[in-house]
């Protein structure tokens, strides 16, 4: 398949990255500068994130944790507007994940510590962790009754699980669904870390 510049149609080398040839990339950047768009380079973006260097920024970029760069331009440069929009989205995602993490943490605590539900350490917690099924336990009154769990959206909770760094959460290594957590993996320290992470 021929790989050509989207702007001028010039053939590009197969090792060329981006959609535009070098000349058109330069022109696009110049145009953005004369159009007075706020552009941010790697050093500028690193500073916005509190990183020390563009090198650190590139490491973060490799994990896919940055705003998308300007399409077709090979240079490390972003539109300020894109970065702002990305921050806003990240913040919203953070809020949603925080709620999911607190819900899961609360349900882990209830099922593991607050209510006596007969289960052995190797049992999986199951969908109780999402608070979506009726669970009987011993309540404060000492009677066996349905216990209150927090309803947590499973899809969000699974995305949140993916976000947790496994170095910081060794109990979650190999876990791809909260429901697969066995009781012996749940301890107070994990619950506290989960509540505090987002
Ligand atoms: Zn071109």
């Amino acid at each position: 398949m021929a790989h050509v510049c989207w702007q001028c149609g010039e053939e590009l080398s197969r090792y060329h990255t981006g959609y535009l040839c070098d000349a058109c990339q330069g022109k696009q950047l110049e145009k953005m500068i004369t159009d007075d768009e706020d552009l941010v380079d790697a050093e500028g973006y690193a500073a916005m994130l509190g990183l020390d260097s563009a090198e650190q920024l590139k490491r973060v970029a490799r994990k896919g944790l940055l705003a998308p760069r300007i399409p077709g331009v090979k240079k490390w440069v972003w539109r300020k507007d894109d970065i702002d929009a990305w921050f806003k989205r990240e913040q919203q995602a953070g809020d949603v994940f925080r709620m999911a993490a607190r819900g899961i943490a609360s349900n882990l605590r209830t099922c593991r510590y607050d209510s006596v539900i007969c289960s052995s350490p190797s049992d999986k917690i199951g969908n109780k962790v999402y608070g979506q099924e009726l669970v009987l336990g011993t309540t404060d009154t000492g009677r066996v009754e349905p216990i209150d769990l927090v309803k947590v959206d499973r899809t969000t909770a699974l995305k949140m699980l993916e976000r947790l760094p496994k170095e910081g959460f060794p109990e979650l290594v190999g876990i791809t669904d909260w429901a697969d957590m066995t009781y012996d993996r749940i301890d107070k320290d994990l619950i506290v870390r989960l509540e505090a992470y987002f």
Side-chain angles (χ1 to χ4, degrees):
M1 198 179 74
H3 182 41
V4 297
C5 171
W6 285 21
Q7 204 83 57
C8 68
E10 187 195 312
E11 197 163 326
L12 303 172
S13 113
R14 49 194 287 236
Y15 304 109
H16 187 92
T17 54
Y19 313 115
L20 303 176
C21 69
D22 289 339
C24 290
Q25 284 188 28
K27 274 186 230 151
Q28 177 162 326
L29 272 181
E30 267 170 43
K31 181 175 178 304
M32 292 170 82
I33 291 163
T34 50
D35 287 351
D36 215 15
E37 284 200 59
D38 272 339
L39 300 181
V40 177
D41 63 9
E43 281 76 19
Y45 200 172
M48 289 169 82
L49 295 174
L51 302 173
D52 291 333
S53 65
E55 276 318 302
Q56 276 188 12
L57 184 84
K58 287 176 188 182
R59 271 199 291 274
V60 175
R62 278 196 283 274
K63 293 185 182 172
L65 299 175
L66 295 182
R69 275 150 60 186
I70 299 167
V73 176
K74 208 168 13 174
K75 281 196 180 140
W76 288 76
V77 63
W78 291 261
R79 281 192 188 92
K80 175 84 167 46
D81 288 350
D82 290 343
I83 293 179
D84 291 343
W86 179 264
F87 273 128
K88 201 177 241 174
R89 262 207 316 274
E90 282 292 288
Q91 198 180 4
Q92 281 164 359
D95 291 343
V96 170
F97 287 151
R98 191 173 313 119
M99 276 180 57
R102 296 204 175 144
I104 293 286
S106 170
N107 291 343
L108 291 175
R109 181 181 282 118
T110 304
C111 293
R112 172 76 174 77
Y113 294 109
D114 293 351
S115 314
V116 184
I117 302 164
C118 292
S119 44
S120 75
S122 59
D123 279 351
K124 289 181 178 178
I125 189 165
N127 285 327
K128 291 196 279 297
V129 76
Y130 301 116
Q132 306 283 4
E133 62 184 48
L134 184 67
V135 176
L136 292 177
T138 309
T139 59
D140 295 340
T141 62
R143 281 195 296 257
V144 175
E145 293 173 353
I147 53 172
D148 287 329
L149 293 171
V150 181
K151 282 197 169 54
V152 180
D153 177 65
R154 182 171 178 271
T155 309
T156 308
L158 293 181
K159 282 195 194 133
M160 184 269 289
L161 174 59
E162 270 175 36
R163 282 284 189 109
L164 295 171
K166 298 304 173 282
E167 312 89 74
F169 293 86
E171 301 89 345
L172 301 178
V173 170
I175 296 287
T176 54
D177 187 332
W178 291 104
D180 293 338
M181 289 285 286
T182 49
Y183 284 98
D184 54 7
R185 287 201 188 213
I186 304 166
D187 64 31
K188 286 189 170 136
D189 189 63
L190 165 70
I191 293 169
V192 169
R193 267 179 283 131
L194 184 57
E195 283 171 327
Y197 184 73
F198 290 98

